[in-house]
């Protein structure tokens, strides 16, 4: 049954259509990377600015060679260890890759996902698949087929349902264009894992006129409801008459009446918290709350990716007397 669906999805990709599909990180919205018109539809459906390049997904590490000029040895090491999996490498691209995929950059972001359905789809489509996360630009990434259906349902040609995404945050993006590798986005492979293999990497995004990855815009991955990360018990009385949701890491102490509480991992497991993150924020976002307060997560392992997404989702609003957070 599922095989049939994957086959059907591959036919759609070959004919220049767009398909939402599961990966181990989040759901992607894919098209044939060599078909500029099909890729353009992804931008239209997502309302994504054309300056924001896409990640190209391949089915084997060998496919990278055809798409980039060279693979530095550190990139090779990471590919050997973490593919298939939630790691994207940015390398100098080959000429043939359409400009719309890379937003005119001379570089290409590539990864080989580990989700079996994603791999089957890429193989059956017989082309690399360009795919951003399958959400409207700026909103949270989808981690279930239902999330995609709710937001993009009638605009995509097919949605493959592979169940909830086991990792739950997007891939780590690491660029090899400078002398020292640079982590552009923390994600499913932790900084510790990366550095244990290739040594120290830069972690500050490059400051330029445009962001090197718009997932790095200060406000991104955001729900409609304001998220506040920087708060404490003392300044909560400012919020007495508000409807507030709590995004808790572990079981919360009940010091305020919250309208609703989402616990990311009862046992305090950061991987479990990452897997639950976007779905939990979506559930809170559906409740028409005035505010979502998020508890900080320890910034180790995937905690770094979680805090990165929470900071961007919050746009760095604080609970204090000066700012209107209603
Ligand atoms: O886990 C993931 O990476 C998911 C799944 C679907 O694979 N994809 C994903 O794609 O998160 P997207 O488009 O939502 O985020 C990709 C990020 C964007 O912030 C984009 O700017 C950056 O990758 N990016 C793409 N190509 C780039 C390049 N050549 N140089 C620097 N950043 C790049
Ligand atoms: Mg995205």
């Amino acid at each position: 049954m599922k095989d049939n669906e994957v086959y059907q999805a591959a036919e759609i990709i070959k004919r220049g259509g767009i398909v939402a599909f599961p990966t181990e990180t989040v759901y992607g919205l894919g098209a044939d990377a060599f078909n500029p018109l099909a890729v353009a539809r992804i931008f239209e459906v997502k309302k994504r600015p054309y300056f924001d390049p896409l990640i190209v997904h391949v089915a084997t590490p060998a496919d990278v060679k055809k798409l980039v000029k060279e693979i530095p040895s550190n990139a090779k090491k990471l590919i050997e260890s973490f593919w298939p999996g939630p790691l994207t490498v940015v390398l100098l691209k080959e000429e043939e890759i359409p400009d719309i995929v890379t937003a005119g950059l001379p570089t290409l972001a590539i990864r080989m996902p580990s989700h079996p359905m994603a791999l089957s789809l890429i193989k059956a489509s017989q082309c690399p698949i360009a795919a951003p996360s399958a959400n409207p630009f700026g909103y949270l990434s989808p981690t279930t087929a239902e999330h995609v259906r709710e937001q993009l349902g009638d605009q995509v040609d097919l949605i493959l349902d592979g169940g909830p995404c086991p990792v739950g945050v997007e891939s780590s993006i690491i660029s090899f264009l400078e002398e020292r590798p640079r982590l552009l986005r923390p994600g499913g492979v932790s900084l510790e894992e990366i550095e244990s293999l290739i040594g120290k990497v830069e972690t500050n995004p490059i400051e330029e006129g445009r962001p090197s990855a718009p997932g790095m815009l200060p406000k991104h991955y955001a729900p409609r409801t304001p998220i506040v990360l920087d708060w404490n018990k003392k300044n909560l009385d400012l919020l007495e008459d508000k409807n507030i949701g709590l995004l808790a890491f572990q079981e919360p102490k009940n010091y305020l009446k919250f309208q609703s509480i989402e616990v990311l991992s009862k046992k305090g497991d950061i991987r479990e918290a990452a897997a639950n993150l976007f779905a939990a924020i979506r559930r809170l976002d559906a409740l028409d709350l005035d505010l979502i307060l998020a508890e900080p997560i320890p910034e180790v392992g995937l905690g770094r990716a979680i805090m990165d997404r929470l900071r961007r989702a919050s746009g760095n609003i604080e609970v204090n007397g000066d700012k209107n957070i209603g």
Side-chain angles (χ1 to χ4, degrees), residues 26 46 48 52 132-135 138-139 141 170 185 215 220-221:
V26 301
K46 275 188 63 109
R48 178 178 177 117
D52 189 358
S133 51
N135 51 280
Y139 196 72
S141 298
E170 300 83 351
R185 177 175 75 180
H220 207 77
Y221 307 107

Side-chain angles (χ1 to χ4, degrees), residues 23 25-28 46 48 52-55 57 88 90 105 107-109 111 131-133 169-171 173 184-185 212-216:
T23 80
T25 58
V26 301
Y27 275 70
K46 275 188 63 109
R48 178 178 177 117
D52 189 358
L54 306 183
I55 295 175
H57 298 69
T88 297
V90 174
L105 293 173
T107 59
L108 178 66
R111 82 181 193 97
S133 51
V169 289
E170 300 83 351
S171 61
I173 304 180
L184 298 179
R185 177 175 75 180
S212 50
M216 283 168 210

Side-chain angles (χ1 to χ4, degrees), residues 228 231 236 243-264 280-281 284 287 289 291-296:
V228 175
W231 56 281
L236 280 182
N243 287 330
I244 304 172
L246 178 69
L247 186 70
F249 176 38
Q250 290 181 262
E251 207 63 75
K253 298 167 204 83
N254 206 5
Y255 44 76
L256 186 87
K257 265 214 175 127
F258 292 104
Q259 197 83 5
S260 178
I261 297 179
E262 287 284 343
V263 177
L264 292 177
I281 298 176
L284 290 173
L287 300 177
L289 301 164
L291 205 62
I292 298 169
L293 298 184
E295 279 184 355

Side-chain angles (χ1 to χ4, degrees), residues 53 64 66 69 84 97 120 126 135 170 231 246 278 280 292 297:
V64 179
K66 298 171 223 155
K69 293 221 188 302
I97 297 160
S120 310
Q126 296 172 323
N135 51 280
E170 300 83 351
W231 56 281
L246 178 69
F278 289 141
I292 298 169
I297 310 279

Side-chain angles (χ1 to χ4, degrees), residues 21-26 55-61 64 75 77-90 109-119 122 165-174 185-190 193-194 271 302:
F21 64 98
T23 80
E24 71 282 14
T25 58
V26 301
I55 295 175
V56 166
H57 298 69
V58 292
T60 73
V64 179
K77 279 191 199 163
L78 293 182
I79 287 173
E80 276 163 18
S81 294
F82 299 119
W83 281 15
L87 179 95
T88 297
V89 294
V90 174
I110 314 183
R111 82 181 193 97
M112 175 183 173
S114 64
H115 197 293
M117 212 179 231
L119 289 174
I122 304 165
C165 302
V167 176
V169 289
E170 300 83 351
S171 61
S172 306
I173 304 180
I174 185 156
R185 177 175 75 180
V189 173
S190 72
E193 287 174 292
I194 291 171
R271 281 186 186 275
L302 289 200

Side-chain angles (χ1 to χ4, degrees), residues 227-232 234-239 291-293 316-323 325:
I227 288 202
V228 175
L229 197 53
D230 193 356
W231 56 281
N232 59 48
K234 275 182 246 139
N235 53 29
L236 280 182
D237 16 323
L238 289 168
L239 304 172
L291 205 62
I292 298 169
L293 298 184
N316 298 312
I317 320 171
E318 293 167 29
V319 178
N320 61 37
D322 311 331
K323 292 181 196 165
I325 48 172

